[in-house]
Amino acid sequence: MKFNEEQRNLLCALDHASRKAAVRDLLHVLPHVDDEDMKEICAETVRRLEQMSDEEFLALDLTIPEEGEDE
């Protein structure tokens, strides 16, 4: 499952040691998000995380490229 840039950046800012930790963090912050677009990004990210396996999550590259690097 592929995440877009906004979703990847969001995951990088949270506890991404495991899929469950990322879901837990997203569900914890979601009620505090005021921006409707950001709420939708969070909700869609949770949906995607819930649809994937732990093995698929561990295979994700959640490193943020250095400025000037190509992805």
Side-chain angles (χ1 to χ4, degrees):
M1 179 156 300
K2 194 164 179 143
F3 292 91
N4 67 31
E5 183 178 353
E6 289 146 336
Q7 293 164 334
R8 282 182 25 152
N9 288 341
L10 180 61
L11 287 170
C12 288
L14 299 170
D15 180 356
H16 56 270
S18 71
R19 183 181 62 86
K20 290 178 184 176
V23 169
R24 183 189 62 237
D25 272 7
L26 279 166
L27 292 175
H28 177 77
V29 300
L30 194 54
H32 306 287
V33 176
D34 294 326
D35 182 78
E36 290 301 318
D37 290 335
M38 184 55 79
K39 277 186 181 181
E40 181 53 38
I41 291 168
C42 290
E44 178 60 26
T45 303
V46 168
R47 284 190 289 274
R48 288 176 182 234
L49 288 168
E50 289 176 336
Q51 292 174 354
M52 69 184 345
S53 69
D54 292 332
E55 291 78 20
E56 290 171 313
F57 180 80
L58 291 173
L60 291 175
D61 178 10
L62 294 177
T63 58
I64 299 175
E66 296 293 324
E67 192 170 323
E69 273 187 40
D70 290 334
E71 289 190 43

